[in-house]
Amino acid sequence: MLIEAEAIPYEPARLRGERLLVLAPHPDDEVIGCGGLVAQHLREQRAVRVLVATDGAEAGDAAIREEESRSGLAILGDAEIEFLRFRDRALDDSVASAIREQLIAFHPDLILVPSPIEIHPDHAALARAFCELVQRDASLFAELAIARVAFYEVGQPLRPNAIVDISDVAELKWTAIAEHKSQLAERDYIAFAKGLNAYRAMTLPAGTQFAEGYHVVELPSLRTTAFSELRMSVGAPVPIEVTRETIPISVVIRTKDRPTLLAEAIDSVRANDYPCEIVVVNDGGTRPDLDVAQTLLSVHTQRANRTDRSVCATSFIDHETPRGRSEAANAGVRAATSRFIAFLDDDDLFHREHLETLANAAQQSPQFAAWYSDAISAFLRPADSGAYETYSSQRIYAHEFDRDLLLVDNYIPLPSLLIPRDAFLDAGGFDPAFDLFEDWDFLIRLARRGDFFHVPSVTCEVRHFEGGQSIVLAAPEGSERFRDAKLQVWAKHADLINQQLFARVFESQKRLLGTCTADVADARGRTDHALNDLSRLEREKNELIAQLQEGEGHIRAERERATYLQGQF
């Protein structure tokens, strides 16, 4: 729970960048949503570029709307503006390449992006396209590692962590909005903006008339933040029910002696608000409280009823004695009744968009053998309170499908996968001979049936608990158990592994490492250059201060001389 001072800022923020890039969904959002901050940047002679994504033709003549945007921005100052001219209400991921070009060319250190909780589909699509671009493009991330992202509000208030006092430029903002005459003929956007900006000034010191609210994040944090989690931190709106096609999915959850973690895992599945069957397999641990487990599972069924979707069956399989991780998963798949299978161990979590993201990929690209997303590796340890806290989040699992690399090392964690149930069973399921890397062995066999489709978005979390039963922490890379298990996989698939394979993988990884090294070197060079510039500016500032002080001394001396002369005459 947040205390009052943490819930909303009570002091105005000085939100500035030397190079400001504004991503606007339509011609007018750049002044309605963030015109005050743009005006302040331009008044201070900072570089500003505005990128307008759609043509605005759904609400007027596209050419007229572009001219109105040019006129409105001109009132704020000398800003660059570019129009991508995508069709209204048809904005999709294809806008990402255009955004990338602008980011590389302009190299901003502050980026204004529509809030991810905006209601209008173009606003939400632009926010999602930007966030997913940052997540999947490592080289772009290296270019913009020092940038900040400020999400702004237009049609849906957000939860701000920075409020900018725009009282000194408010009249300029209203005048700029007034240039959008074609839109003002339909709605009084000046009144709307004034109302929102007056409301945003409510928590700031007395005398502040108007302010703009922003939710600011460091760009690197977007690399490890699921879009659903970002929406929650910004302040997710009431969900809007949209008719959509679904595919039948069963989620198999393996558990043993971790009832609290099991409840968290089940809750993360339910939070997807996607109709699915949950199959919990207790592999010989202390028998969970079935009443509690069934209550947790039935809540999901009730949610499915409330949204008028088909109610999915739920089941709980209890092994009296441990049969191993492989047999536990196999038993869950055999008991499942859906056409597609997803897996979740009791210590891992789905993010809210996980099932829908993979289901959409399976519907749009049914020719693939499996579909997988990116996962965050979260490392947790006990805090002073006794509860576990995350001390590190790493985006380790984010790799395009590479059959050769899969034979050498596994880069696809089990919770990130969606697999056809028939394909799982036809491939023989998990091999009971494996107690570690059973999923890797299975994926190698499944990959013989076809390629996997990669969705470059973070949708799940693999958690590792210090002092717990984490497989990764119990057998870390380099340990004897880890090495023996890896050799076991290689021995089973020896017919596919040869010197040529290792040569290809080594060459591809060497190229990747070379690119990363070059990016790091470039980033260090930019940092050194910036530090040199900072030192130069500091020196020049001190020189100017000294000159001013010297000038003030001369002025005082001349004033004293003038006073003396006046006294003489």
Side-chain angles (χ1 to χ4, degrees):
M1 181 178 294
L2 294 177
I3 63 174
E4 180 184 5
E6 294 173 338
I8 193 167
Y10 277 75
E11 293 295 331
R14 179 174 169 78
L15 185 58
R16 294 291 190 273
E18 290 305 311
R19 302 181 66 78
L20 172 66
L21 179 66
V22 182
L23 302 185
H26 309 99
D28 68 6
D29 291 319
E30 71 278 3
V31 290
I32 295 174
C34 48
L37 187 58
V38 170
Q40 289 175 340
H41 275 72
L42 291 171
R43 182 183 60 186
E44 296 165 10
Q45 298 184 335
R46 300 170 188 267
V48 176
R49 180 177 294 183
V50 176
L51 192 64
V52 181
T54 68
D55 58 14
E58 283 280 327
D61 182 271
I64 291 175
R65 296 205 63 185
E66 285 190 11
E67 188 54 39
E68 289 172 345
S69 271
R70 295 183 196 278
S71 299
L73 272 178
I75 288 171
L76 300 183
D78 186 17
E80 301 177 34
I81 185 168
E82 303 225 5
F83 299 94
L84 300 181
R85 301 187 177 98
F86 283 86
R87 189 163 57 87
D88 266 11
R89 294 186 176 271
L91 201 59
D92 57 24
D93 292 341
S94 60
V95 72
S97 60
I99 295 175
R100 186 184 191 282
E101 290 178 6
Q102 292 291 331
L103 291 170
I104 295 296
F106 189 61
H107 212 274
D109 58 342
L110 180 60
I111 308 165
L112 303 189
V113 182
S115 160
I117 64 170
E118 286 283 315
I119 301 300
H120 194 292
D122 288 336
H123 293 221
L126 188 57
R128 180 183 289 274
F130 173 80
C131 293
E132 292 182 350
L133 173 64
V134 171
Q135 288 198 353
R136 68 172 177 260
D137 194 323
S139 62
L140 178 64
F141 168 68
E143 287 277 343
L144 302 172
I146 63 169
R148 289 181 297 166
V149 179
F151 294 100
Y152 64 88
E153 55 194 356
V154 180
Q156 172 68 33
L158 50 69
R159 182 184 300 131
N161 58 14
I163 299 179
V164 178
D165 182 356
I166 65 163
S167 303
D168 58 338
V169 292
E171 289 302 325
L172 272 180
K173 177 173 179 173
W174 318 143
T175 306
I177 297 175
E179 289 297 304
H180 294 267
K181 297 179 177 59
S182 65
Q183 304 309 296
L184 292 176
E186 301 294 329
R187 296 177 182 276
D188 190 351
Y189 287 105
I190 297 176
F192 297 158
K194 281 185 177 180
L196 179 59
N197 294 158
Y199 164 70
R200 282 298 174 216
M202 181 173 62
T203 60
L204 298 188
T208 305
Q209 293 180 297
F210 299 102
E212 291 174 345
Y214 295 90
H215 190 91
V216 183
V217 299
E218 301 296 323
L219 187 137
S221 70
L222 290 182
R223 289 274 293 169
T224 57
T225 303
F227 194 70
S228 60
E229 296 305 305
L230 176 65
R231 283 170 53 83
M232 290 301 295
S233 66
V234 171
V238 176
I240 299 174
E241 186 64 27
V242 178
T243 303
R244 60 181 178 181
E245 289 186 21
T246 60
I247 61 175
I249 298 176
S250 294
V251 180
V252 175
I253 303 178
R254 299 180 290 193
T255 189
K256 183 179 179 181
D257 294 332
R258 297 191 286 200
T260 301
L261 293 181
L262 172 62
E264 291 178 5
I266 292 174
D267 193 51
S268 78
V269 177
R270 292 192 289 111
N272 276 249
D273 195 24
Y274 190 95
C276 66
E277 174 187 42
I278 301 176
V279 182
V280 177
V281 183
N282 173 39
D283 188 39
T286 301
R287 186 180 180 87
D289 187 331
L290 291 182
D291 290 336
V292 173
Q294 291 297 340
T295 298
L296 286 168
L297 293 171
S298 65
V299 170
H300 173 71
T301 301
Q302 294 167 9
R303 285 170 65 91
N305 258 332
R306 285 201 301 270
T307 52
D308 295 324
R309 301 183 183 129
S310 58
V311 178
C312 298
T314 58
S315 59
F316 191 95
I317 301 171
D318 194 29
H319 291 170
E320 292 185 3
T321 58
R323 301 183 191 177
R325 293 163 50 81
S326 295
E327 282 294 0
N330 291 341
V333 176
R334 286 193 295 268
T337 61
S338 301
R339 188 157 58 95
F340 293 89
I341 300 294
F343 293 94
L344 183 66
D345 285 337
D346 58 10
D347 55 347
D348 299 329
L349 299 173
F350 286 167
H351 290 306
R352 289 173 176 82
E353 67 268 46
H354 179 75
L355 293 175
E356 185 166 20
T357 297
L358 292 179
N360 288 340
Q363 287 176 306
Q364 294 168 13
S365 305
Q367 70 274 23
F368 287 85
W371 305 264
Y372 69 100
S373 61
D374 291 346
I376 291 300
S377 288
F379 296 87
L380 298 90
R381 59 189 171 202
D384 293 339
S385 64
Y388 278 93
E389 64 178 9
T390 300
Y391 66 89
S392 176
S393 290
Q394 302 176 23
R395 195 170 176 201
I396 298 173
Y397 301 112
H399 203 292
E400 290 299 322
F401 180 67
D402 183 333
R403 184 173 282 99
D404 284 345
L405 180 59
L406 187 60
L407 286 165
V408 176
D409 197 15
N410 186 22
Y411 52 87
I412 305 175
L414 192 59
S416 69
L417 277 159
L418 183 68
I419 306 169
R421 179 175 180 273
D422 289 345
F424 181 90
L425 296 174
D426 290 345
F430 293 150
D431 186 344
F434 288 86
D435 186 49
L436 184 62
F437 296 153
E438 74 283 352
D439 51 345
W440 180 21
D441 163 62
F442 169 76
L443 292 178
I444 291 174
R445 287 183 277 125
L446 184 64
R448 294 188 179 192
R449 295 168 173 263
D451 293 342
F452 299 172
F453 185 91
H454 175 224
V455 182
S457 297
V458 174
T459 67
C460 57
E461 186 172 299
V462 179
R463 301 195 292 177
H464 312 291
F465 294 83
E466 283 188 4
Q469 300 175 23
S470 169
I471 295 295
V472 171
L473 296 184
E477 189 162 356
S479 67
E480 185 175 352
R481 184 185 175 198
F482 183 96
R483 188 163 45 250
D484 288 345
K486 198 161 194 175
L487 290 172
Q488 183 183 7
V489 174
W490 287 347
K492 180 174 179 178
H493 300 282
D495 61 316
L496 299 174
I497 299 174
N498 52 42
Q499 292 179 346
Q500 286 77 18
L501 170 75
F502 279 103
R504 290 195 301 270
V505 171
F506 175 78
E507 289 167 359
S508 66
Q509 295 304 297
K510 184 179 179 181
R511 287 193 297 271
L512 178 61
L513 179 60
T515 300
C516 292
T517 302
D519 287 342
V520 170
D522 184 60
R524 285 178 177 171
R526 292 172 188 267
T527 302
D528 291 342
H529 184 70
L531 290 174
N532 288 334
D533 281 349
L534 185 62
S535 299
R536 176 179 56 78
L537 291 171
E538 182 68 20
R539 175 177 50 77
E540 292 175 353
K541 182 192 76 172
N542 291 332
E543 290 174 353
L544 287 172
I545 290 174
Q547 291 173 9
L548 286 172
Q549 290 173 343
E550 183 180 357
E552 289 173 354
H554 288 311
I555 292 172
R556 282 196 299 271
E558 290 300 320
R559 283 177 177 170
E560 291 172 359
R561 184 167 177 269
T563 301
Y564 171 77
L565 291 174
Q566 287 174 356
Q568 294 297 313
F569 295 100

